[in-house]
Amino acid sequence: MNTDHRQSPALWSDVLLRTMVELRALFGSEQSVLGTAAIEDFERLFIAADKLETLLADSAGNSQHDQMNALAAVRGYAEMLREELGSEVQALDDALLRLLKAVSTAQEGATGNPELDSGDVGLRASEPGFILAVDDLQENRELVARYLSRSGHLVVTAGSGEEALRTLAETDVDVVLLDLMMPVMDGREVLRRIKEHPEWRATPVIVISGSQDMAGIIACIEAGADDYLFKPFNPVLLQARIKAGIERKRWHDREQQYREQLERNEKFIRATFGRYLSDEIVTDILERPEGLELGGDLREVTIMMSDIRGFTTLSEHLAPAQVVTMLNRYLGAMTDIIMSFNGTIDEFIGDAILAVFGAPQRREDDADRAVRCALAMQGAMAAMNAQNLAEGLPALATGIALNTGVVIAGNIGSERRSKYGFVGHPMNVTSRIEDHCRGDEILISDSTLQQLRGDYEVSDRRELSIKGIEQSVVVHRIRERNNV
């Protein structure tokens, strides 16, 4: 059984066409009292009506979409003329009102959808937006642009899918009104490209079409269309859709701005605190605020202490600016190397560097990374000394001590001022070992040697008697193995 309740064009077109004949006659008699703009709009209205009459006469040779386009143009110009004329020419106003009722009847007859009564709808005016209207028919673009411009919107139009995409690439659009049936690139393809583009996908798209194909409507919604309106569209309904679209776009833009601000703030925090703390500690604080609480836990770590040999004597013969230049160059280069091996710099003590491998994040190769880091630090001294000598500064020699043991790692200090630091006997042992380092020498304790997995040249076993420690400390000199 046929369930399609739509009326054939023959049942509704006669009423609409008779109304147009009446309106033409009245226009002829009242034209002398009309302004230029109103006369031009009446002429456009009659052109749209002629086109509709032609389409109705050859209903088998054209699509319902074409009929709805023409019907939308008739309705649009009729509504604008009623607003322009008001009640100054009552006969024309009455005739235009009858025409709009005939269009409403025609729409219901053509689509089976009753026309919405918008007369009593209280719609709060939307925030002005930047609207892109895409339609291959010039009269449709003109109508939408004029109608929305009167509501305070800035409207740009595009006559093809390609032109629409170019506009989106050049401007920040709030809402896109998209015709579905267009040559070359149809609305579906435009919609797909908008929703796949990372910068456009949040832009609301309202599809406006004369097509009543339910499968096509569903496909558009699934592809990302925010709404679907039929031609001729109800102006109040269109305004409501645009208002909702602008609000969605504004919320998205604000959310994006907040997200970008948060990212900038986080980068600033990381860059600022990264000068005082390791990246791992900063990340731990940002991602786990309870990490700021005082306290710590036991960690097995490999401790590094590096010191410039004879720095005090060297600095006595240099100007303060030269000392600062030389020291900053050294500390800057060594810091980059230590951080590249995931070491945590505990503090700078004058020209000494105290770093730890194994906290706050423990890795299986902590001892090996500490050794490779120390070798890289000694390897960087040649280039640094060449630069020093070129600037009239003395060459430097460093001693580096490595020791592995269990310490307390955590936030040490008070509620007002604290630092992520390390406490324990192995820290003191490392400092004592460093006192025995010669220039360009790396000494590692026996505890560190037992942890190593790499292949290194280990020699010069020494037993150090350290004040305050009953047993002697065994250390070894370590170098990178020369395989040549």
Side-chain angles (χ1 to χ4, degrees):
M1 182 176 68
N2 182 11
T3 58
D4 190 354
H5 299 292
R6 288 180 293 179
Q7 303 173 21
S8 67
L11 297 178
W12 54 263
S13 60
D14 287 346
V15 176
L16 191 147
L17 295 177
R18 284 198 302 270
T19 306
M20 282 302 309
V21 170
E22 176 193 6
L23 183 61
R24 288 178 190 270
L26 283 170
F27 171 72
S29 62
E30 301 287 352
Q31 182 175 353
S32 60
V33 299
L34 299 177
T36 302
I39 293 174
E40 291 176 351
D41 282 343
F42 267 112
E43 291 173 348
R44 295 188 183 97
L45 171 61
F46 296 145
I47 291 172
D50 291 341
K51 184 175 182 179
L52 176 61
E53 185 174 2
T54 301
L55 291 170
L56 291 172
D58 184 22
S59 58
N62 58 79
S63 67
Q64 183 190 38
H65 177 79
D66 295 329
Q67 294 181 10
M68 293 300 101
N69 268 328
L71 202 60
V74 170
R75 174 176 185 161
Y77 285 116
E79 288 175 338
M80 284 196 296
L81 281 165
R82 285 204 69 206
E83 291 186 14
E84 291 175 18
L85 298 176
S87 58
E88 294 179 5
V89 186
Q90 190 63 50
L92 282 175
D93 183 65
D94 292 342
L96 288 168
L97 179 59
R98 288 192 292 272
L99 175 62
L100 288 171
K101 290 181 178 179
V103 169
S104 177
T105 302
Q107 180 181 358
E108 182 177 352
T111 65
N113 298 319
E115 167 71 343
L116 295 176
D117 182 9
S118 59
D120 296 329
V121 176
L123 180 65
R124 181 172 56 86
S126 66
E127 179 182 352
F130 189 16
I131 315 298
L132 171 60
V134 188
D135 200 304
D136 59 316
L137 297 181
Q138 182 177 353
E139 59 266 28
N140 288 349
R141 298 195 301 272
E142 180 182 300
L143 278 170
V144 169
R146 290 179 61 183
Y147 176 74
L148 295 178
S149 295
R150 291 207 306 270
S151 300
H153 300 296
L154 177 62
V155 184
V156 293
T157 63
S160 66
E162 295 88 344
E163 186 181 354
L165 296 178
R166 286 196 298 271
T167 302
L168 284 166
E170 296 170 356
T171 57
D172 184 18
V173 174
D174 292 319
V175 177
V176 176
L177 302 180
L178 180 62
D179 184 33
L180 203 58
M181 308 293 288
M182 295 186 296
V184 185
M185 183 187 294
D186 65 9
R188 292 182 180 86
E189 177 62 17
V190 176
L191 175 63
R192 183 187 68 80
R193 296 196 186 190
I194 291 175
K195 294 306 176 180
E196 288 181 354
H197 196 286
E199 296 180 4
W200 305 342
R201 62 167 61 109
T203 303
V205 178
I206 302 173
V207 175
I208 301 179
S209 176
S211 173
Q212 302 292 313
D213 177 23
M214 185 55 66
I217 297 172
I218 294 173
C220 286
I221 298 299
E222 290 178 342
D226 294 78
D227 217 322
Y228 196 109
L229 294 178
F230 298 118
K231 295 178 179 179
F233 55 80
N234 181 284
V236 176
L237 188 58
L238 176 63
Q239 281 282 19
R241 297 294 193 264
I242 288 177
K243 175 178 178 293
I246 291 174
E247 290 178 351
R248 282 196 298 274
K249 184 62 162 52
R250 294 288 189 269
W251 273 109
H252 173 269
D253 290 346
R254 283 193 289 268
E255 181 181 349
Q256 183 65 23
Q257 291 173 359
Y258 294 151
R259 187 181 299 112
E260 292 173 355
Q261 183 63 44
L262 287 174
E263 290 175 355
R264 286 194 295 270
N265 289 344
E266 183 172 336
K267 288 181 181 178
F268 174 77
I269 291 171
R270 289 183 182 276
T272 302
F273 285 93
R275 299 178 63 183
Y276 305 96
L277 305 170
S278 73
D279 289 343
E280 290 179 349
I281 296 174
V282 174
T283 298
D284 190 57
I285 292 173
L286 291 176
E287 297 181 358
R288 194 175 60 89
E290 61 271 21
L292 289 171
E293 296 177 0
L294 295 177
D297 52 7
L298 293 175
R299 297 286 187 92
E300 184 178 56
V301 298
T302 296
I303 307 152
M304 171 193 286
M305 178 163 278
S306 171
D307 187 77
I308 299 174
R309 304 293 88 181
F311 182 76
T312 301
T313 302
L314 289 174
S315 61
E316 289 177 352
H317 298 87
L318 297 173
Q322 290 178 305
V323 174
V324 171
T325 297
M326 186 172 60
L327 187 58
N328 285 343
R329 178 178 295 153
Y330 167 75
L331 294 176
M334 298 302 110
T335 296
D336 290 342
I337 295 172
I338 293 170
M339 295 184 73
S340 71
F341 283 92
N342 299 115
T344 298
I345 297 177
D346 181 51
E347 59 183 328
F348 298 127
I349 310 170
D351 59 302
I353 303 173
L354 177 60
V356 172
F357 295 78
Q361 184 174 349
R362 181 182 182 277
R363 296 175 174 85
E364 295 297 326
D365 63 340
D366 287 330
D368 280 273
R369 281 186 296 103
V371 169
R372 294 197 302 273
C373 178
L375 291 169
M377 290 167 67
Q378 293 290 27
M381 294 303 297
M384 186 183 308
N385 283 331
Q387 188 175 1
N388 282 345
L389 293 173
E391 297 178 10
L393 298 173
L396 304 178
T398 59
I400 302 177
L402 298 175
N403 178 41
T404 301
V406 176
V407 301
I408 298 174
N411 294 320
I412 301 168
S414 68
E415 293 293 339
R416 295 192 62 182
R417 184 176 178 85
S418 63
K419 60 165 286 186
Y420 187 89
F422 307 91
V423 176
H425 179 66
M427 305 293 292
N428 297 327
V429 172
T430 309
S431 177
R432 299 295 184 269
I433 295 174
E434 192 271 330
D435 289 339
H436 289 79
C437 289
R438 305 185 186 100
D440 301 325
E441 187 175 55
I442 302 173
L443 294 181
I444 65 172
S445 67
D446 222 23
S447 60
T448 299
L449 180 63
Q450 301 304 317
Q451 297 283 338
L452 297 181
R453 303 176 182 180
D455 188 18
Y456 310 97
E457 181 181 325
V458 180
S459 62
D460 192 17
R461 181 182 185 277
R462 308 177 198 169
E463 289 190 17
L464 305 180
S465 297
I466 297 177
K467 183 179 179 181
I469 300 176
E470 294 182 0
Q471 295 182 342
S472 61
V473 176
V474 177
V475 297
H476 309 265
R477 186 176 183 181
I478 191 167
R479 297 177 181 176
E480 194 162 13
R481 186 173 295 281
N482 187 354
N483 294 318
V484 180

